[in-house]
Amino acid sequence: MFSLQDKRFLVTGGSSGIGRQISIHLGQQGAQVTLVGRNLERLQNVTAEMKDGNHKCFSFDLTKQNEVAAFIKQQIPFDGIVFNAGIVDYLPIKFMSDEKINKVFDVNFKGAVLLCQQLIKNKLITKGGSLVFISSISSKLGIPGTALYAASKAAICAYSKVVASELAAQKIRANCICPGIVITPMTANAEDVSTTSLEDAEKEYPLGYGRPEDVSALVTYLLSDESRWMTGTDLILDGGLTLK
């Protein structure tokens, strides 16, 4: 249904978790995928798992403008980009610091903004292309201990809407996905400041926790031409958490 044959996509944070699954899924649909992350060995391992194709991987720091610019010089236009790179870092408001604020916002917001700016400036997004930003349901809630994480993800939602507005004349779309808890190594290792176990917290999800495949399926739809009339939207993917 969603033909991605020979389309070219860029996925950030492609070395593990949701990014890994998105990359593999796109490769299964016949797309050519460029993976970006900080750990080259893990990126290469993911590339080796993917369906045969002209897949590539690059390791650099998305928060460093000079490294982003160097990467951009080596690229040709993409049909879509998935801004997935991010970290989970929970702490109560009273423990916030400049260091913590910069750490979370640099990875979850600044990296996507710098890359997107360079892609637009260098005309590396094809007409009719699609940009997908991975945010979080935390951006819509007020869960104790998530202030920095939630704020950084809310910033991504706001940013994606402006991108959608500015690029609409080129028929380039931009949408945001706000997943609830998806079981990945990063989620399992995240500190839970509310002292509620992952097992107990899952009871709040009518359909249970998500899997990386649940997110990659929605990403595939948003990157395909089937979603050509959808832009500037925040899509909640939370297993029914916000029904209450």
Side-chain angles (χ1 to χ4, degrees), residues 68-112:
V68 174
F71 165 75
I72 287 295
K73 290 179 180 178
Q74 305 175 57
Q75 306 308 310
I76 59 176
F78 294 101
D79 297 296
I81 297 91
V82 183
F83 298 90
N84 168 75
I87 57 172
V88 176
D89 196 344
Y90 298 155
L91 78 164
I93 291 172
K94 64 182 178 181
F95 294 129
M96 287 184 185
S97 64
D98 283 347
E99 181 181 359
K100 281 288 188 180
I101 293 170
N102 290 335
K103 175 185 175 183
V104 173
F105 269 82
D106 277 1
V107 178
N108 289 354
F109 181 69
K110 179 182 176 181

Side-chain angles (χ1 to χ4, degrees), residues 159-169 172 174 231-232:
Y159 175 77
S160 69
K161 290 182 185 300
V162 177
V163 172
S165 178
E166 292 192 4
L167 299 184
I172 295 173
T231 194

Side-chain angles (χ1 to χ4, degrees), residues 64-224:
K64 305 295 184 184
Q65 194 164 14
N66 62 323
E67 295 188 25
V68 174
F71 165 75
I72 287 295
K73 290 179 180 178
Q74 305 175 57
Q75 306 308 310
I76 59 176
F78 294 101
D79 297 296
I81 297 91
V82 183
F83 298 90
N84 168 75
I87 57 172
V88 176
D89 196 344
Y90 298 155
L91 78 164
I93 291 172
K94 64 182 178 181
F95 294 129
M96 287 184 185
S97 64
D98 283 347
E99 181 181 359
K100 281 288 188 180
I101 293 170
N102 290 335
K103 175 185 175 183
V104 173
F105 269 82
D106 277 1
V107 178
N108 289 354
F109 181 69
K110 179 182 176 181
V113 171
L114 288 178
L115 178 59
C116 187
Q117 183 267 341
Q118 284 290 310
L119 289 166
I120 294 171
K121 179 180 178 180
N122 290 278
K123 300 180 179 180
L124 289 177
I125 308 169
T126 62
K127 184 175 181 179
S130 176
L131 310 183
V132 180
F133 295 84
I134 306 298
S135 178
S136 168
I137 195 61
S138 295
S139 66
K140 313 296 183 185
L141 306 175
I143 300 172
T146 67
L148 280 181
Y149 177 73
S152 68
K153 290 300 189 176
I156 280 290
C157 288
Y159 175 77
S160 69
K161 290 182 185 300
V162 177
V163 172
S165 178
E166 292 192 4
L167 299 184
Q170 302 173 49
K171 304 300 181 184
I172 295 173
R173 297 171 286 115
N175 292 285
C176 212
I177 298 176
C178 300
I181 291 179
V182 175
I183 296 302
T184 67
M186 183 173 70
T187 304
N189 293 329
E191 180 183 4
D192 187 357
V193 296
S194 69
T195 70
T196 302
S197 70
L198 280 173
E199 183 178 349
D200 289 338
E202 188 171 12
K203 297 173 184 177
E204 299 296 320
Y205 285 72
L207 297 183
Y209 288 150
R211 300 173 299 170
E213 293 87 347
D214 298 316
V215 181
S216 67
L218 182 52
V219 168
T220 299
Y221 168 68
L222 291 175
L223 290 175
S224 76

